[in-house]
């Protein structure tokens, strides 16, 4: 059974001085590497425990002490890391729904995410994508069986933006992560353009989409 | 510097990030309405929510259409990403969109020392339906930053 890391603030790790491996004096906060045996001990002791992902990455040992101490140091992820993590979080969501999606649809989702959520195109000050919003989009896509979206994007709040196109209409939607969708549609006809906008539940949005896309 | 209304037949150009564009086979074919919503506060970079939409006054530049678009791109106060979009909106059409929702709007040239072409769309309010109709009816041209800078 997994336990949080706070359940063992000090792991009783066996510290084995190894003159041949220790190149610099080991102190708290130094970047000195753990020797292989210590790593093995640490991994063995951590089996069954769950460390918070992302926030705690580095283990630091104290050397000039008779007993060993393990400490975790908080790490603030870089911009690149945050963008990568956001992308991975959404891809994990895709994998959660994998049984309902064809390999082609999964590949399209991954491709479209990589197109937008990348370091080259993302501004550092922008809010990162909302996983809740993305999950709403996945649920709706599976429910409506509409896999032919044009492209995806993200709003200033991180909500996913999706657009579909039919012969006579363009439909765009903002999935807000609360099972509701803000949408706008433009339909062209010989009489001129018709414009509509609304806010719907996920289920009702499928009925609206049918009006413009089928 | 003086704030002057922009004539109805003229245009303003607004920068949109790639994530706000609708693309088909890599080409920009539309803009999501959220590109025209006022952004919420995002401290410390934006301590206050936006009160108006920043643009550049297209006709403040002289040259061919492509040259004027390029100048609008170069006038931005930051370096845009090459896949971002630039959208040109007609002032009369902007006003017409707001009128449909009985909402006042002013489109003004507000030249600044650092950016003489600076312009603003100052709406009484702007919500999803208004932003949607702006993205649909007021936009007369869309280009990517990389195309504008060619």
């Amino acid at each position: 059974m997994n336990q949080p890391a706070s359940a063992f603030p000090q792991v009783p790790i066996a510290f084995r001085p190894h003159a041949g491996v220790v190149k610099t004096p080991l102190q708290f906060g130094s970047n000195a590497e753990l020797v292989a045996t210590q790593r093995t001990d640490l991994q063995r002791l951590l089996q069954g425990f769950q460390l918070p992902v992302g926030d705690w990455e580095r283990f630091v040992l104290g050397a000039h002490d008779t007993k060993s101490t393990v400490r975790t140091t908080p790490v603030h992820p870089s911009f690149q890391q945050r963008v990568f993590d956001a992308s991975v979080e959404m891809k994990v969501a895709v994998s959660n729904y994998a049984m309902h999606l064809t390999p082609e649809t999964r590949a399209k989702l991954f491709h479209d995410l990589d197109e937008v959520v990348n370091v080259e195109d993302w501004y550092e000050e922008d809010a990162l994508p909302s996983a809740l919003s993305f999950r709403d989009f996945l649920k709706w896509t599976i429910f409506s069986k509409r896999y032919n979206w044009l492209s995806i994007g993200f709003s200033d709040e991180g909500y996913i933006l999706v657009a579909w196109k039919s012969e006579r209409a363009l439909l765009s939607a903002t999935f807000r992560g609360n099972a509701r969708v803000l949408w706008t549609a433009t339909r062209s006809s010989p009489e001129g353009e018709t414009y509509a906008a609304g806010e719907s539940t996920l289920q009702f949005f499928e009925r609206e989409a049918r009006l413009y896309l089928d | 510097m003086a704030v002057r209304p922009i004539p109805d037949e003229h245009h303003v150009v607004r920068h949109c990030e790639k994530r706000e564009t609708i693309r088909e086979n890599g080409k920009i074919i539309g803009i999501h309405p959220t590109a025209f919503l006022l952004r919420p506060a995002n401290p410390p970079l934006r301590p206050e929510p936006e009160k108006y939409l920043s643009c550049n006054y297209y006709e403040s530049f002289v040259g061919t259409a492509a040259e004027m678009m390029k100048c609008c791109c170069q006038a931005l106060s930051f370096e845009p990403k090459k896949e971002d979009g630039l959208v040109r909106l007609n002032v009369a059409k902007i006003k017409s969109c707001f009128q449909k929702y009985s909402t006042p709007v002013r489109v003004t040239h507000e030249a600044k020392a650092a950016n003489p072409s600076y312009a603003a769309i100052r709406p009484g309010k702007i919500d999803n339906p208004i932003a949607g109709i702006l993205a649909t009816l007021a936009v007369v041209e869309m280009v990517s930053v990389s195309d504008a800078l060619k």
Side-chain angles (χ1 to χ4, degrees):
Chain A
M1 188 178 71
N2 284 353
Q3 295 179 39
S6 57
F8 56 106
Q10 288 197 329
V11 176
I13 181 174
F15 185 83
R16 297 176 191 141
H18 196 301
V21 178
V22 178
K23 294 171 185 169
T24 55
L26 293 173
Q27 292 177 347
F28 283 119
S30 78
N31 289 323
E33 287 189 356
L34 293 177
V35 295
T37 51
Q38 290 168 322
R39 283 186 186 279
T40 311
D41 284 344
L42 192 58
Q43 284 163 0
R44 183 172 51 76
L45 285 164
L46 288 178
Q47 277 177 0
F49 290 95
Q50 193 176 32
L51 282 172
V53 179
D55 294 332
W56 311 92
E57 290 186 352
R58 196 165 51 145
F59 296 95
V60 181
L61 281 187
H64 305 299
D65 204 346
T66 52
K67 65 177 183 179
S68 300
T69 309
V70 175
R71 285 192 177 177
T72 52
T73 306
V75 175
H76 297 290
S78 64
F79 168 58
Q80 286 84 350
Q81 184 68 45
R82 283 185 286 125
V83 171
F84 177 76
D85 289 347
S87 174
V88 167
E89 193 176 4
M90 288 184 287
K91 289 175 180 175
V92 168
V94 173
S95 69
N96 289 346
Y97 293 94
M99 71 174 75
H100 303 288
L101 301 165
T102 63
E104 291 76 26
T105 305
R106 292 202 300 272
K108 185 181 177 189
L109 280 165
F110 281 25
H111 171 267
D112 286 2
L113 285 173
D114 289 339
E115 269 287 298
V116 186
V117 188
N118 61 65
V119 176
E120 286 73 36
D121 294 317
W122 203 267
Y123 286 78
E124 195 161 356
E125 63 271 24
D126 287 349
L128 288 164
S130 153
L132 274 179
S133 161
F134 184 70
R135 281 177 184 274
D136 268 5
F137 165 59
L138 287 179
K139 286 181 206 169
W140 186 84
T141 299
I142 292 162
F143 170 70
S144 67
K145 298 183 173 57
R146 292 188 185 280
Y147 306 110
N148 60 339
W149 64 88
L150 272 184
S151 65
I152 61 174
F154 291 91
S155 72
D156 288 321
E157 296 88 355
Y159 301 140
I160 188 165
L161 309 171
V162 191
W164 300 263
K165 189 180 163 191
S166 68
E167 272 182 27
R168 59 179 192 280
L170 183 67
L171 176 67
S172 70
T174 308
F175 289 82
R176 296 171 63 88
N178 58 354
R180 296 190 77 81
V181 185
L182 283 173
W183 56 270
T184 58
T186 316
R187 188 161 58 182
S188 307
S189 69
E191 292 80 38
E193 284 198 329
T194 307
Y195 170 79
E199 182 177 357
S200 311
T201 59
L202 288 179
Q203 196 169 4
F204 198 76
F205 178 56
E206 159 53 13
R207 283 202 255 169
E208 300 290 349
R210 259 187 267 156
L211 281 176
Y212 298 98
L213 300 178
D214 293 344
Chain B
M1 291 189 188
V3 174
R4 293 196 176 89
I6 296 177
D8 282 358
E9 65 274 20
H10 284 191
H11 303 84
V12 290
V13 173
R14 180 160 169 80
H15 166 263
C16 302
E17 292 183 28
K18 181 182 180 182
R19 60 181 172 78
E20 298 168 318
T21 60
I22 300 172
R23 299 170 309 283
E24 187 172 26
N25 302 321
K27 185 175 163 44
I28 299 174
I29 64 153
I31 302 294
H32 282 287
T34 54
F36 298 105
L37 292 176
L38 300 172
R39 296 177 191 183
N42 182 19
L45 293 159
R46 196 187 313 118
E48 297 285 320
E50 276 184 348
K51 293 185 175 66
Y52 56 88
L53 299 170
S54 297
C55 305
N56 283 295
Y57 182 17
Y58 182 74
E59 277 81 7
S60 68
F61 299 105
V62 179
T64 64
E67 286 167 349
M68 289 157 82
M69 204 57 145
K70 183 176 182 178
C71 290
C72 285
C73 186
Q74 289 169 334
L76 292 170
S77 60
F78 56 93
E79 191 179 344
K81 313 243 180 188
K82 61 179 182 170
E83 297 292 321
D84 288 352
L86 294 170
V87 289
R88 182 156 64 97
L89 302 105
N90 173 257
V91 173
K93 289 182 175 178
I94 293 171
K95 290 179 179 175
S96 163
C97 290
F98 280 90
Q99 271 171 4
K100 287 181 200 293
Y101 290 89
S102 306
T103 303
V105 65
R106 288 186 300 134
V107 186
T108 49
H109 181 205
E110 305 179 8
K112 294 179 175 177
N115 181 3
S117 68
Y118 189 81
I121 301 172
R122 294 181 174 274
K125 70 158 187 178
I126 188 160
D127 54 15
N128 189 53
I130 297 177
I133 203 167
L134 268 179
T136 307
L137 301 183
V139 173
V140 295
E141 183 185 4
M142 291 170 277
V143 293
S144 68
V145 165
S146 56
D147 285 345
L149 291 176
K150 272 180 187 169

